Amino acid sequence: MSKRKILFLGETYRADAITWMNGLKEFGDFEIITWELKTPNHTLFSRFFRILEFSTGLFHVKKMVKMNQPDMIIAERTTSYGFLAALSGVKPVAIAQQGRTDLWPENSVLLPLKKIIQHYAFEKATLIHAWGPVMTISMRVAHVDMKKVMVLPKGIDLEKFGNKESSNPSKIKAIVTRSLTTDYRHDIILKAFGILKTKEIDFDLTIIGDGKELAKLKRLANKLQIESKVNFMGRIPNTALPKLLEQSNIYISMPITEGVSASLFEAMASNCYPIVTDIPGNQSWIKHRENGQLIPIDDFEMLAEEIIWAFENKEYRNAAVLKNRKFVEENANYKINMKIIANKYHELIYAKNN
């Protein structure tokens, strides 16, 4: 019997998308065909051309469907690729909300249109993925049929992350693994470490990732006189990440919005103590001073204080990272969760054909 085919709509370079597709290949024996918009989404100018490209997207998706005859279609983001998937005519269709809500930014002039598009996508979807509990809040507000919703993270590969003992360095060795965009507030992190510098507290800060904020962040590090303590590594292969996490003792992430963060799970699996923003997407996994620390958005002074507190309370920190590893093993194991997701897709395809 030939392999079942799935058409994936979304940015194939993203780590989340790669995890999703690889899991379906490995645990569902699916053949994955992909389509994505070619125009980047970095500037106002490029966004205009991306909207124009999106307007012809349905034509291209239907062309892909005709050529490949997929058994199922899956898509990221309810307000873009998910909408195209819903219009494609293919059944079953699974769409995934990417953040706490896909209606972002909240002050967008296109918000009324996005709500209409999202409602249509939710209505036509056979299955809706909420990668974490926080995503279901906006779904309920949007009157989604919750019987169609699967609440389950894709998980991470525990054989790659945290399979060696952490080095537990004797000074603060912090790591940040988020894209260099304004939403992730790297400037707040640098300002916090600027305070540590004034208190003559030794540290190393590793920042992994690339983005339009890089030059500005390097200038800020120079201004704070911490440039010799900050290593901007740029984009690295995902295979190099586990070792860097294991060499660090504190993971920091300061986004202003969050759905489900695979990078947080990776840190939790790698015995790297998490300090993250106090927002719903992080509150699902972290309880303040129980298994990590929660910091109000943009509060770099509190962030500095909590980094110091975490480092000085080594026994607490060591107990917390053991608790986090156990939590990830029980709730975010890629080999278990992706098998469940792949089996669900096979069920949906079987039900369509019988």
Side-chain angles (χ1 to χ4, degrees):
M1 184 178 174
S2 60
K3 289 186 177 185
R4 296 294 192 184
K5 293 182 185 178
I6 290 179
L7 173 58
F8 171 81
L9 307 182
E11 272 92 33
T12 55
Y13 66 87
R14 295 178 64 253
D16 280 354
I18 292 167
T19 299
W20 195 2
M21 290 186 289
N22 285 349
L24 294 175
K25 291 175 191 173
E26 184 176 356
F27 301 110
D29 197 31
F30 286 107
E31 178 184 342
I32 308 294
I33 306 136
T34 66
W35 181 84
E36 63 194 286
L37 297 166
K38 303 295 184 240
T39 312
N41 195 27
H42 303 319
T43 66
L44 197 61
F45 187 70
S46 65
R47 279 178 202 151
F48 172 74
F49 285 100
R50 189 176 171 89
I51 290 168
L52 288 180
E53 187 184 3
F54 181 77
S55 67
T56 63
L58 184 59
F59 168 78
H60 294 292
V61 170
K62 287 198 169 184
K63 187 177 177 182
M64 290 290 292
V65 168
K66 189 174 181 180
M67 284 173 54
N68 296 284
Q69 297 295 305
D71 298 282
M72 181 177 182
I73 189 165
I74 65 176
E76 296 182 310
R77 291 194 189 86
T78 56
T79 53
S80 55
Y81 292 109
F83 178 60
L84 292 178
L87 287 170
S88 69
V90 177
K91 287 286 184 179
V93 53
I95 61 173
Q97 186 167 294
Q98 290 304 107
R100 176 178 59 83
T101 171
D102 282 338
L103 300 175
W104 186 262
E106 292 174 346
N107 60 353
S108 170
V109 294
L110 295 175
L111 202 61
L113 177 61
K114 287 183 178 182
K115 284 183 178 179
I116 293 169
I117 288 172
Q118 186 183 64
H119 176 76
Y120 183 86
F122 280 147
E123 192 176 64
K124 297 297 180 182
T126 315
L127 178 71
I128 302 165
H129 283 292
W131 303 124
V134 70
M135 296 176 174
T136 64
I137 299 169
S138 64
M139 290 180 185
R140 291 180 193 279
V141 171
H143 305 294
V144 171
D145 178 1
M146 298 307 289
K147 293 192 293 293
K148 298 198 292 187
V149 178
M150 174 182 272
V151 186
L152 188 71
K154 293 182 288 292
I156 60 166
D157 191 339
L158 294 173
E159 289 184 5
K160 293 178 181 174
F161 291 92
N163 59 353
K164 295 176 185 159
E165 191 173 340
S166 179
S167 61
N168 203 4
S170 58
K171 68 174 179 178
I172 294 170
K173 292 197 73 170
I175 189 167
V176 183
T177 62
R178 312 306 295 268
S179 300
L180 306 187
T181 62
T182 55
D183 286 351
Y184 290 114
R185 296 297 202 261
H186 291 76
D187 57 331
I188 297 301
I189 297 170
L190 291 177
K191 288 175 183 177
F193 280 95
I195 292 175
L196 267 61
K197 168 79 163 47
T198 64
K199 292 178 181 287
E200 299 183 347
I201 297 171
D202 194 17
F203 67 87
D204 288 327
L205 174 60
T206 298
I207 297 179
I208 295 166
D210 200 2
K212 60 184 180 181
E213 294 291 294
L214 178 59
K216 190 187 295 184
L217 293 169
K218 284 185 173 180
R219 288 196 297 271
L220 179 58
N222 285 331
K223 182 180 176 182
L224 295 168
Q225 299 182 338
I226 58 173
E227 68 278 7
S228 65
K229 310 298 292 178
V230 182
N231 182 10
F232 290 96
M233 294 193 68
R235 191 172 290 165
I236 64 168
N238 211 42
T239 51
L241 184 58
K243 186 176 180 181
L244 290 167
L245 285 168
E246 287 156 13
Q247 290 171 346
S248 306
N249 50 16
I250 294 176
Y251 164 87
I252 302 174
S253 179
M254 291 287 114
I256 59 173
T257 183
E258 189 74 277
V260 174
S261 170
S263 68
L264 173 58
F265 289 151
E266 289 164 355
M268 292 170 75
S270 303
N271 297 329
C272 198
Y273 180 79
I275 302 179
V276 296
T277 32
D278 190 6
I279 53 178
N282 290 327
Q283 292 161 6
S284 299
W285 322 109
I286 301 298
K287 305 304 176 195
H288 187 61
R289 293 196 180 180
E290 289 184 25
N291 67 328
Q293 276 149 270
L294 296 169
I295 312 297
I297 289 173
D298 290 345
D299 193 339
F300 62 89
E301 292 176 340
M302 182 177 173
L303 174 58
E305 291 169 6
E306 293 295 322
I307 291 168
I308 296 167
W309 186 92
F311 182 68
E312 289 178 345
N313 287 272
K314 185 177 178 180
E315 286 187 12
Y316 157 79
R317 200 174 73 242
N318 289 344
V321 297
L322 291 175
K323 187 186 296 184
N324 284 341
R325 173 70 192 191
K326 188 170 186 292
F327 176 87
V328 175
E329 287 174 353
E330 292 174 354
N331 296 280
N333 186 333
Y334 161 83
K335 293 193 172 181
I336 293 173
N337 293 9
M338 280 308 308
K339 200 173 289 183
I340 293 169
I341 292 168
N343 287 343
K344 181 65 176 178
Y345 287 5
H346 276 296
E347 287 175 18
L348 294 176
I349 293 168
Y350 178 82
K352 177 193 75 169
N353 293 332
N354 290 277

